[in-house]
């Protein structure tokens, strides 16, 4: 005679909640109704053969790049619900109902930004029919995701990111940026801006934007110095022991032939700093970070040199990536 099993509820907190979700998502067939999706969440479905996923794409709390990857992956079907706030993960026989959104580390919003938050959930084993029926109803009422939806979500995502406060470097994930933040030095060379050229290019001359601009060394660098990219700059000094002065620059418009160094006749291009900028990715003036920055920079002669080799950023992209990795380890 068949026996009806009553669901066993198990209350979970970290790290057991993380492990329960990750284990469930290794099953070949899963269903998820999870409101918000952060950087790296697509990696959680590498073992998945079939999945039905509902997300909240419109509110600005979901990284649209993640959803765009998931919806194009074979075997995965992704829909959206504008009012979804639930976080429900359903496998073949078990389910997890939790406070945790989906991201690279299994929990928290956008990577490690919220990973320090206290999360809790319940493991249902076996999963209650009420849960599966609820998901079925939500799936039927959810709507498809179009290319237009993704484009609009990207704009909402930018607005959402703009409102975030600065965080510590401990919570910084350079991998979560569409364009990895660049790193470069600035010096005290005498130069003079061409006000007329700048006005022709952008319609107005703003002294602050010009003073905080980034020089473009060659055509190859133009593609790296795109609008909306962050650049962490430091003032280069003779001493290797002093703490560097660090400043974030948020890139704006490109101005070709916008300035000249005094004593030269060759006009050079620049990318203006954008005053309408989001909050800094993190506070660069924290003493602990400045110490780590100084110590790691001493091992990167390529980032301290005067040798441009026809371009500055283009040949140093991989170097900057390794620099961020070593900074994390040193910090």
């Amino acid at each position: 005679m068949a026996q009806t099993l009553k669901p066993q509820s198990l209350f979970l907190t970290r790290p057991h909640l993380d492990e329960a979700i990750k284990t469930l998502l290794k099953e070949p067939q899963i269903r998820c109704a999870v409101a918000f999706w952060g950087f790296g969440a697509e990696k959680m479905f590498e073992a998945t053969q079939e999945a039905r996923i509902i997300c909240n794409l419109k509110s600005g709390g979901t990284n649209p790049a993640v959803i765009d990857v998931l919806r194009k992956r074979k075997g995965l079907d992704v829909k959206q619900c504008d009012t979804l706030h639930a976080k429900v993960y359903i496998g073949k026989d078990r389910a997890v109902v939790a406070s945790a959104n989906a991201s690279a580390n299994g929990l928290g919003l956008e990577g490690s930004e919220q990973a320090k938050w206290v999360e809790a959930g319940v493991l249902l084993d076996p999963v209650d029919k009420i849960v599966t029926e609820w998901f079925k109803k939500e799936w039927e009422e959810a709507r498809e995701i179009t290319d237009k939806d993704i484009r609009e979500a990207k704009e909402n995502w930018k607005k959402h990111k703009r409102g975030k406060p600065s965080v510590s470097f401990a919570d910084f994930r350079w991998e979560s940026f569409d364009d990895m933040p660049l790193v470069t030095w600035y010096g005290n060379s005498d130069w003079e801006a061409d006000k007329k050229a700048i006005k022709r290019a952008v319609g107005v001359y703003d002294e602050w934007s010009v003073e905080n601009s980034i020089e473009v060394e060659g055509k190859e660098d133009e593609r790296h110095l795109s609008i909306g990219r962050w650049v962490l700059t430091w003032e280069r000094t003779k001493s290797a022991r002093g703490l560097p002065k660090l400043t974030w620059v948020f890139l704006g418009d490109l101005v070709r032939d916008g300035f000249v160094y005094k004593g030269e006749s060759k006009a050079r291009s620049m990318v203006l700093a954008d005053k309408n900028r989001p909050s800094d990715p993190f506070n660069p003036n924290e003493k602990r970070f400045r110490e780590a920055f100084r110590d790691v920079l001493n091992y990167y002669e390529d980032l301290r040199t005067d040798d441009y080799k026809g371009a500055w950023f283009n040949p140093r992209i991989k170097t900057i990536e390794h620099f961020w990795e070593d900074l994390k380890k040193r910090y």
Side-chain angles (χ1 to χ4, degrees), residues 19 41 107:
E19 190 60 34
L107 299 174

Side-chain angles (χ1 to χ4, degrees), residues 1-270:
M1 180 177 176
Q3 184 179 9
T4 301
L5 297 177
K6 292 184 179 180
Q8 298 296 312
S9 300
L10 182 63
F11 180 75
L12 298 173
T13 57
R14 282 182 169 156
H16 305 292
L17 178 59
D18 302 53
E19 190 60 34
I21 293 175
K22 290 176 182 178
T23 300
L24 190 149
L25 292 180
K26 290 179 181 178
E27 295 185 16
Q29 296 178 320
I30 56 176
R31 288 158 289 176
C32 296
V34 180
F36 307 119
W37 297 69
F39 169 78
E42 71 278 6
K43 298 177 183 177
M44 299 161 61
F45 296 86
E46 292 178 348
T48 305
Q49 297 175 11
E50 295 181 17
R52 286 186 171 183
I53 298 169
I54 310 173
C55 69
N56 186 329
L57 183 62
K58 193 173 182 179
S59 67
T62 286
N63 187 329
V66 171
I67 299 303
D68 202 26
V69 170
L70 290 174
R71 75 188 185 107
K72 294 176 181 177
R73 189 172 292 175
K74 184 180 179 181
L76 273 59
D77 197 355
V78 188
K79 289 186 176 183
Q80 60 180 321
C81 172
D82 297 344
T83 56
L84 181 67
H85 198 261
K87 294 88 180 179
V88 181
Y89 304 80
I90 307 171
K92 180 182 178 182
D93 301 312
R94 300 173 300 163
V96 174
V97 181
S99 61
N101 293 289
S103 68
N105 58 2
L107 299 174
L109 293 172
E110 194 62 4
S112 64
E113 288 179 5
Q114 306 288 348
K116 59 191 176 186
W117 283 23
V118 176
E119 303 279 7
V122 175
L123 173 66
L124 301 176
D125 188 5
V127 60
D128 196 306
K129 185 178 180 181
I130 294 175
V131 178
T132 57
E133 289 297 322
W134 171 84
F135 182 88
K136 181 180 179 181
K137 176 178 177 294
E138 294 300 321
W139 179 258
E140 290 172 350
E141 294 180 356
R143 68 185 194 280
E144 301 294 331
I145 297 174
T146 66
D147 292 340
K148 181 182 177 182
D149 292 329
I150 293 293
R151 290 194 297 270
E152 291 177 351
K154 286 182 178 179
E155 292 303 314
N156 290 335
W157 178 248
K158 289 178 182 178
K159 294 176 183 177
H160 174 74
K161 296 292 284 185
R162 281 179 181 271
K164 290 189 176 181
S166 296
V167 297
S168 165
F169 185 61
D171 296 317
F172 173 70
R173 290 184 64 88
W174 59 266
E175 312 99 313
S176 70
F177 287 72
D178 292 334
D179 293 308
M180 173 184 66
L182 301 174
V183 179
T184 190
W185 58 266
Y186 65 92
N188 295 315
S189 301
D190 288 335
W191 57 281
E192 186 174 336
D194 187 334
K195 294 184 178 181
K196 291 182 179 180
I198 294 171
K199 284 183 178 180
R200 283 196 303 269
V202 299
V204 65
Y205 179 85
D206 182 86
E207 188 171 346
W208 183 90
S209 295
V210 172
E211 288 293 328
N212 290 277
S213 62
I214 300 293
E215 179 181 352
V216 180
E217 186 67 28
K219 289 281 186 179
E220 289 184 345
D221 276 353
E222 288 187 11
R223 64 189 179 94
H224 296 295
L225 296 170
S226 56
I227 291 177
R229 192 168 199 170
W230 286 102
V231 183
L232 183 60
T233 67
W234 80 91
E235 186 175 13
R236 197 170 59 164
T237 62
K238 294 181 179 179
S239 173
R241 291 179 295 178
L243 294 182
K245 180 180 178 182
L246 298 162
T247 305
W248 279 111
V249 174
F250 190 65
L251 298 181
D253 295 300
L254 168 69
V255 179
R256 291 189 174 87
D257 302 331
F259 79 102
V260 294
Y261 284 115
K262 291 184 178 179
E264 294 185 1
S265 57
K266 177 186 175 183
R268 299 174 180 264
S269 299
M270 58 167 54

